[in-house]
């Protein structure tokens, strides 16, 4: 599968799942802009791309800011052209039981994980509509389907993301733009690597495949959806969780 000539924008691309997605798209020939929240993070992306032979750069973006999103699309358009692949991966957690949750913990998660997707998609679909081709992939979570103790804010945002995906897919289908959600389960990251052995085992015991996923496995599903193989899939949530949740 070749993505040569395509321009991809990946939010939250400095590490973990976002980094794996950005690298995989670039290795398939796309020009990739991946975002980070700090200049240092953006520079690390640019350096990583150079090392891997990927055409692209890192750019700074605060996904909570409408002005920052508008400025990013202007900068990307001037340097590469309008993106026709958008992967909304940026996200945060602010875990707490609802009785103890602060207003800012709710607002920060919903604004970063859900409202940002509205902001980015609203800009991206303009260029996609002109090109009569586009691929939007929103990175959800198994928590959006299953729920999780202490994550009512995160679960609400990710569940909302799935509804947004289905509605937008209906709006944009006639323009040859697909919109899908990829919902990972537990994935090997710096955070899961630091979990106590007992807690890791408790999590693994719930997964039929008896292991955590790899970021590269999530990236492969995203690449399938934006490539020719996924051209007739839209409005779907693809669960990638080792059997933890079976839709």
């Amino acid at each position: 599968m070749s993505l040569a000539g395509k321009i991809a924008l990946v939010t939250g691309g400095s590490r973990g799942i976002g980094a794996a997605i950005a690298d995989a798209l670039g290795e398939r020939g796309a020009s990739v802009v991946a975002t980070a929240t700090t200049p240092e993070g953006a520079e690390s992306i640019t350096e990583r791309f150079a090392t891997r032979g990927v055409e692209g750069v890192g750019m700074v973006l605060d996904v909570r800011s409408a002005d920052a999103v508008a400025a990013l699309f202007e900068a990307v358009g001037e340097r590469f052209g309008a993106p026709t692949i958008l992967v909304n991966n940026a996200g945060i957690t602010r875990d707490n039981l609802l009785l103890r949750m602060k207003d800012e913990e709710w607002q920060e998660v919903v604004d970063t994980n859900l409202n940002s997707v509205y902001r980015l998609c609203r800009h991206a679909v303009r260029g996609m509509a002109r090109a009569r081709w586009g691929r939007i992939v929103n990175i959800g979570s198994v928590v959006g389907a299953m729920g999780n103790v202490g994550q009512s804010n995160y679960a609400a945002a990710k569940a909302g993301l799935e509804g947004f995906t289905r509605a937008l897919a209906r709006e944009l289908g006639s323009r040859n733009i697909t919109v899908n959600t990829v919902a990972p389960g537990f994935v090997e990251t710096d955070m899961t690597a630091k979990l106590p052995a007992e807690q890791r085992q408790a999590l693994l015991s719930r997964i039929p495949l008896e292991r955590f996923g790899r970021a590269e496995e999530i990236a492969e599903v995203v690449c399938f959806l934006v490539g020719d193989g996924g051209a007739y899939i839209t409005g779907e949530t693809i669960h990638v969780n080792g059997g933890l949740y079976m839709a």
Side-chain angles (χ1 to χ4, degrees):
M1 180 187 69
S2 173
L3 295 175
K6 304 299 184 186
I7 301 161
L9 173 60
V10 181
T11 64
S14 61
R15 56 191 175 88
I17 292 172
I21 292 170
D23 291 349
L25 294 173
E27 288 163 2
R28 286 164 172 78
S31 299
V32 184
V33 175
T35 72
T37 57
T38 66
E40 294 78 13
E43 181 59 31
S44 73
I45 293 170
T46 301
E47 292 174 355
R48 191 182 75 239
F49 283 171
T51 300
R52 302 179 72 99
V54 170
E55 180 183 358
V57 296
M59 292 187 178
V60 176
L61 175 64
D62 178 359
V63 297
R64 299 170 301 175
S65 167
D67 289 342
V69 170
L72 175 77
F73 273 89
E74 183 175 354
V76 173
E78 290 176 354
R79 183 161 181 176
F80 296 99
T84 50
I85 297 172
L86 171 64
V87 182
N88 287 301
N89 171 74
I92 61 170
T93 57
R94 296 288 185 268
D95 297 351
N96 213 340
L97 296 174
L98 186 65
L99 285 172
R100 301 173 184 170
M101 187 171 290
K102 300 178 177 63
D103 285 353
E104 54 267 29
E105 290 173 330
W106 177 273
Q107 292 294 347
E108 286 177 11
V109 168
V110 172
D111 202 23
T112 303
N113 296 14
L114 181 59
N115 295 345
S116 66
V117 176
Y118 151 75
R119 296 184 192 104
L120 282 140
C121 287
R122 188 173 61 168
H123 280 276
V125 297
R126 296 168 183 166
M128 294 178 184
R130 285 194 295 269
R132 303 292 296 182
W133 191 96
R135 299 288 183 264
I136 298 172
V137 180
N138 300 316
I139 304 302
S141 170
V142 68
V143 172
M146 293 179 60
N148 199 29
V149 173
Q151 290 193 306
S152 58
N153 49 4
Y154 187 76
K158 292 303 186 180
L161 187 69
E162 293 186 22
F164 175 88
T165 292
R166 289 188 286 270
L168 191 60
R170 291 187 180 277
E171 290 185 20
L172 300 178
S174 64
R175 293 172 173 82
N176 196 29
I177 302 169
T178 65
V179 190
N180 292 287
T181 296
V182 173
F186 293 112
V187 175
E188 288 283 6
T189 62
D190 294 341
M191 183 178 66
T192 55
K194 295 175 181 176
L195 291 173
E198 184 177 337
Q199 190 173 355
R200 280 180 63 91
Q201 191 55 46
L203 292 173
L204 289 169
S205 69
R206 300 166 57 192
I207 303 172
L209 289 184
E210 298 182 338
R211 67 176 178 87
F212 293 149
R214 295 183 294 108
E216 291 77 11
E217 292 173 318
I218 310 303
E220 287 295 326
V221 178
V222 172
C223 288
F224 169 75
L225 288 172
V226 305
D228 293 340
Y232 200 55
I233 300 172
T234 195
E236 291 294 331
T237 296
I238 310 298
H239 291 279
V240 190
N241 57 49
L244 174 65
Y245 173 79
M246 301 182 186

